[in-house]
């Protein structure tokens, strides 16, 4: 990551240090889902104990910033997700997902305790345009509002993916041309909340922009589909 500790500091060393004595974390949660036609609403609430996370320690004499691993006593969380399709035109379909999150983290840090409730939301829109001659355009956009934890503020971020797809030879040959994260905008920028301790800012670049071309051909008439392994929402949001 690129970091800034103080306005006039340009060179420093930072380290991520492991901790072999971390305890396993334990999560208890309840999830309720309601479905009406194609609208799906899910509500999750839970608590995680012995939360595995990192915390920064800066030494101004050596100009070294260390990120150390530790277990937090607990954190409480909740989320509300709504998924629904929209048919705007015969050739224009939109799949929408709205999600709101709550996170309360109890964090002892440098002989103090920081406990802060953080609220944020995410919007995901997947638009499919069906064009003549068998062409399909897929435009996916996502936005995540400002979020964070008891120590850091995480700035908003967004991403846009675009792809064009066409089937050939009686739908046996599928070609797809696309560009993921078009604007190279899916970076994660963090800022330390407590300026009386230190002024620390850094950004992670995931290097996720990519241009791709895929070809697939279906032999026979099998309708078997491989099951994809998907990450849970908590795994996707893990910091």
């Amino acid at each position: 990551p690129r970091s800034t500790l103080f306005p006039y500091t340009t060179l420093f060393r930072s380290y991520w240090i492991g901790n072999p004595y971390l305890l396993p974390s334990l999560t208890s949660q309840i999830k309720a889902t309601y479905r009406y036609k194609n609208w799906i609403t899910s509500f999750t609430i839970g608590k995680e104990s012995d939360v595995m996370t990192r915390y920064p320690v800066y030494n101004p004499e050596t100009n070294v910033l260390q990120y150390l691993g530790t277990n937090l006593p607990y954190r409480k969380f909740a989320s509300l997700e709504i998924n629904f399709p929209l048919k705007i035109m015969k050739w224009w379909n939109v799949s929408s997902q709205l999600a709101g999150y709550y996170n309360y983290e109890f964090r002892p840090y440098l002989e103090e305790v920081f406990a802060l409730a953080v609220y944020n939301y995410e919007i995901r829109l997947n638009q499919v345009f069906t064009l003549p001659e068998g062409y399909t355009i897929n435009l996916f956009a996502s936005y995540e509002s400002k979020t964070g934890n008891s120590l850091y503020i995480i700035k908003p971020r967004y991403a846009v993916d675009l792809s064009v797809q066409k089937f050939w030879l009686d739908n046996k040959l599928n070609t797809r041309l696309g560009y993921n994260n078009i604007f190279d905008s899916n970076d994660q920028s963090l800022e330390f909340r407590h300026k009386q301790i230190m002024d620390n800012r850094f950004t992670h670049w995931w290097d996720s922009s990519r241009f791709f071309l895929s070809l697939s051909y279906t032999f026979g008439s099998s309708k078997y589909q491989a099951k994809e392994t998907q990450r849970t929402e908590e795994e996707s949001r893990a910091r």
Side-chain angles (χ1 to χ4, degrees):
R2 300 179 183 178
S3 305
T4 300
L5 281 173
F6 298 100
Y8 304 104
T9 300
T10 57
L11 296 175
F12 70 96
R13 292 175 293 174
S14 62
Y15 300 93
W16 293 66
I17 300 177
N19 182 355
Y21 301 104
L22 289 177
L23 300 174
S25 60
L26 178 64
T27 300
S28 301
Q29 68 177 36
I30 298 175
K31 182 175 183 178
T33 301
Y34 175 76
R35 180 166 186 167
Y36 176 74
K37 295 183 178 180
N38 291 327
W39 289 61
I40 302 175
T41 302
S42 299
F43 177 72
T44 303
I45 187 171
K47 180 178 180 180
E48 182 180 6
S49 58
D50 293 322
V51 184
M52 289 187 287
T53 188
R54 291 188 178 274
Y55 65 97
V57 175
Y58 176 65
N59 188 332
E61 296 181 358
T62 60
N63 212 22
V64 169
L65 176 64
Q66 296 178 330
Y67 292 94
L68 308 177
T70 189
N71 286 107
L72 303 185
Y74 69 88
R75 76 178 185 95
K76 299 178 181 178
F77 60 89
S79 65
L80 177 65
E81 298 184 7
I82 302 175
N83 298 270
F84 57 94
L86 292 175
K87 191 176 185 65
I88 299 178
M89 304 287 286
K90 183 179 181 180
W91 47 269
W92 183 5
N93 291 280
V94 180
S95 296
S96 306
Q97 183 182 63
L98 307 178
Y101 301 99
Y102 160 82
N103 185 61
Y104 177 85
E105 186 181 78
F106 187 86
R107 183 190 287 257
Y109 176 66
L110 299 182
E111 300 181 354
E112 294 187 58
V113 173
F114 297 93
L116 185 65
V118 176
Y119 300 86
N120 72 299
Y121 65 90
E122 294 184 28
I123 301 174
R124 305 183 187 94
L125 298 176
N126 187 43
Q127 303 182 71
V128 179
F129 303 90
T130 304
L131 305 180
E133 305 297 330
Y135 285 94
T136 301
I137 296 178
N138 187 285
L139 179 62
F140 174 80
S142 64
Y143 174 80
E144 182 179 0
S145 70
K146 183 177 71 173
T147 181
N149 52 45
S150 294
L151 295 185
Y152 280 95
I153 298 171
I154 302 177
K155 297 182 179 180
R157 59 178 175 170
Y158 69 96
V160 178
D161 303 336
L162 177 65
S163 65
V164 180
Q165 180 176 263
K166 179 174 172 57
F167 285 92
W168 313 78
L169 304 177
D170 294 329
N171 293 333
K172 291 184 177 295
L173 176 64
N174 178 22
T175 58
R176 190 180 181 194
L177 183 68
Y179 191 5
N180 288 343
N181 194 16
I182 296 174
F183 303 106
D184 194 20
S185 55
N186 198 25
D187 55 276
Q188 190 177 65
S189 298
L190 295 86
E191 180 177 353
F192 199 72
R193 293 180 181 274
H194 313 288
K195 297 298 188 292
Q196 74 278 13
I197 298 176
M198 66 176 173
D199 184 5
N200 174 220
R201 298 178 296 275
F202 65 92
T203 300
H204 287 291
W205 276 269
W206 305 113
D207 194 23
S208 58
S209 290
R210 64 186 179 95
F211 179 81
F212 66 89
L213 171 64
S214 66
L215 300 173
S216 62
Y217 187 84
T218 302
F219 295 91
S221 58
S222 174
K223 296 182 179 180
Y224 172 79
Q225 293 183 348
K227 183 178 179 181
E228 296 183 0
T229 301
Q230 298 182 349
R231 301 174 67 185
T232 65
E233 187 61 37
E234 283 300 311
E235 289 173 332
S236 300
R237 290 169 51 79
R239 302 300 180 190

